Amino acid sequence: MEKKFHQFSKAFLPCGIVSLAIIAFGIVGMVTRGINFGLDFKPGLIEEIRIAPAAAELTYNGTAKVTVDSYKGGLDFVISGTGAENETKSYSYAEYATVKDLVNAINVSGVKAVLRNEGSEPSENIFLNSAVTTVLSKNPLYLYAGNEDVSIDNVRETLSSLSGIAVKALGDGGFQIRMPATEEETNQNLQNSVLDTLASVYGAENIAIIKTDFIGSSFSKTLAQKSIILLVVTVLLIWIYAAFRFHWDFALGAIIALVHDALIMFTFIVWSRMEFSTTVLAAVLTIVGYSINDTVVILDRVRSNLRIKKVDNFNQLLDRSLSDTLGRSIITTVTTLFAVISLFVFTTGSIKDFALALMVGLVSGCYSSLFISSGFISLFRRNWKPEYGIHHSLKNDVGVLQMDAGVTV
């Protein structure tokens, strides 16, 4: 009894219509809302800050150069001296559990450590203001270890006078502030405007800048252009490979599936307002490579079945080939999703966005390999007619000579 195969071909047209509707929805979003470009693709400042009262302060009165380092990850708080009074001391967070314990233990010549509050916070939570030098002097260097009870709405309201400002809450209690820049504006000007505005409400000594990045307009424009070229060249090279490996219509169907996956991902990025950064671009390129792998497996089975399967039309051949590879496609996608979901659950920031974009792309890639690529190949070969000997031979499409009962055909 002949094996029954799934009727994938009946879903080619409905799936094509659904995909076109989703892509059209994405194009409308791009026109009306635009892509939420990250700092990589547009000039401006991105800054991570924390608002907190200083837990302690350090001053130094001497002739040496004394610096402070606060190492995260359960390591040490280090005070290093160079020069005439060469002295370096390390204070383990494990040994001194609280800020008070650590501050009271500091004993370096010329260094004075003073608590500014109860010092009950864990010592391993200590952080510094990256915008100020860590070289100790008579001016106090503040140590921070907590966060002020300030909501994101309060921060947004404080910075509302600055044009184009965007604020996002971070998991550690801090805030990410992003501000666009013109060609005339510099990194320092933007930083000063943000810091001065916050300081007017919360006090300058209560604001710690954790990290600052700035990208100029010329660099962001160049990066955007190179990213587009990279994506186009990648798709073109895959097209060339598929054309040599299979047939021009197979290659075109594969490329249409890749473009489909990229547009589906961009639709999701536009409407979810995900920040489009180089990390998200990496996710798009990853899916381009992953999706073609799945499509090539299916096309290889189609080519193999062209030589040996007796069918009445090309859709029957596609149904057989897709049924043969269905289990492999689903299992490969699901197992990859397990790893990507783990990334999404256990990470934060840009890696979380990367994982989320990958999840959308993986599902789209499996779907497009089964229905979009195959649907277009079915369209291209709608007038295909089989030729039969003792075995089925398709010399024009595959470019091979078969031996049929010992006779060359």
Side-chain angles (χ1 to χ4, degrees):
M1 183 177 180
E2 187 177 1
K3 178 181 176 182
K4 291 186 177 180
F5 298 96
H6 301 291
Q7 300 297 309
F8 288 96
S9 56
K10 292 183 178 180
F12 290 162
L13 182 58
C15 287
I17 294 173
V18 169
S19 292
L20 285 174
I22 294 174
I23 292 170
F25 186 57
I27 294 173
V28 170
M30 289 183 191
V31 173
T32 59
R33 307 184 68 182
I35 298 175
N36 181 27
F37 285 108
L39 188 63
D40 298 334
F41 295 99
K42 65 179 181 181
L45 170 75
I46 185 168
E47 195 169 59
E48 292 183 13
I49 68 159
R50 294 175 70 173
I51 300 174
E57 63 179 54
L58 300 178
T59 55
Y60 175 69
N61 187 12
T63 58
K65 182 180 179 181
V66 180
T67 59
V68 172
D69 289 300
S70 176
Y71 295 99
K72 297 301 178 184
L75 299 178
D76 302 327
F77 183 87
V78 178
I79 300 179
S80 306
T82 58
E85 301 174 10
N86 189 354
E87 185 177 12
T88 297
K89 289 192 176 182
S90 176
Y91 301 90
S92 170
Y93 294 136
E95 183 178 354
Y96 304 100
T98 66
V99 174
K100 180 179 180 180
D101 294 336
L102 189 146
V103 168
N104 290 338
I106 292 177
N107 182 21
V108 178
S109 178
V111 175
K112 183 179 180 181
V114 179
L115 278 173
R116 291 175 60 93
N117 58 24
E118 295 179 356
S120 58
E121 300 91 349
S123 60
E124 63 183 14
N125 289 348
I126 287 177
F127 59 93
L128 303 174
N129 185 350
S130 65
V132 300
T133 179
T134 58
V135 178
L136 295 182
S137 66
K138 294 181 180 179
N139 296 320
L141 173 68
Y142 298 113
L143 308 182
Y144 303 88
N147 295 293
E148 189 74 28
D149 187 17
V150 178
S151 70
I152 187 172
D153 292 332
N154 292 336
V155 176
R156 285 173 175 160
E157 184 179 353
T158 301
L159 297 173
S160 60
S161 60
L162 301 178
S163 176
I165 201 82
V167 182
K168 181 171 71 174
L170 301 176
D172 60 3
F175 303 95
Q176 182 189 82
I177 298 172
R178 192 172 70 189
M179 186 176 181
T182 63
E183 294 186 4
E184 295 77 19
E185 289 177 311
T186 65
N187 180 21
Q188 196 59 52
N189 289 339
L190 291 178
Q191 284 191 61
N192 290 341
S193 62
V194 172
L195 184 59
D196 291 346
T197 304
L198 291 173
S200 65
V201 176
Y202 303 106
E205 65 183 46
N206 295 326
I207 300 169
I209 298 174
I210 308 301
K211 185 174 69 173
T212 300
D213 292 312
F214 179 81
I215 185 168
S217 58
S218 60
F219 180 79
S220 63
K221 186 181 300 183
T222 301
L223 184 60
Q225 292 171 348
K226 288 183 177 179
S227 298
I228 294 172
I229 294 172
L230 176 63
L231 186 58
V232 171
V233 170
T234 300
V235 172
L236 180 61
L237 290 176
I238 291 174
W239 190 348
I240 294 172
Y241 163 77
F244 276 103
R245 185 77 172 81
F246 302 102
H247 195 266
W248 72 266
D249 53 351
F250 281 24
L252 184 57
I255 294 304
I256 288 172
L258 294 186
V259 174
H260 166 275
D261 295 339
L263 291 176
I264 292 295
M265 292 181 72
F266 275 106
T267 298
F268 177 80
I269 290 167
V270 166
W271 287 102
S272 68
R273 305 311 294 162
M274 178 188 294
E275 184 178 279
F276 187 77
S277 62
T278 50
T279 304
V280 175
L281 175 63
V284 175
L285 293 175
T286 299
I287 290 303
V288 168
Y290 185 92
S291 180
I292 192 61
N293 176 66
D294 201 18
T295 304
V296 162
V297 171
I298 294 173
L299 296 182
D300 192 61
R301 180 55 62 93
V302 173
R303 186 178 63 173
S304 175
N305 286 342
L306 273 170
R307 305 175 185 179
I308 61 175
K309 298 297 183 183
K310 184 175 180 179
V311 293
D312 296 326
N313 55 65
F314 203 79
N315 278 350
Q316 289 182 0
L317 191 67
L318 287 173
D319 289 338
R320 286 173 177 266
S321 302
L322 293 172
S323 297
D324 290 342
T325 57
L326 179 61
R328 184 260 183 204
S329 298
I330 293 176
I331 291 173
T332 302
T333 301
V334 170
T335 51
T336 308
L337 273 173
F338 286 153
V340 176
I341 290 172
S342 297
L343 274 179
F344 178 76
V345 172
F346 297 110
T347 61
T348 58
S350 60
I351 299 300
K352 196 179 189 74
D353 290 342
F354 174 80
L356 183 57
L358 275 184
M359 283 192 283
V360 174
L362 285 170
V363 174
S364 175
C366 182
Y367 159 81
S368 67
S369 296
L370 292 171
F371 299 105
I372 303 304
S373 175
S374 301
F376 274 92
I377 295 172
S378 172
L379 178 64
F380 300 146
R381 299 218 173 188
R382 60 188 179 278
N383 297 322
W384 177 86
K385 300 296 183 183
E387 298 176 14
Y388 298 112
I390 295 176
H391 296 293
H392 172 216
S393 174
L394 189 63
K395 294 180 290 184
N396 293 334
D397 286 330
V398 189
V400 298
L401 291 176
Q402 288 185 264
M403 298 301 294
D404 217 339
V407 180
T408 302
V409 296

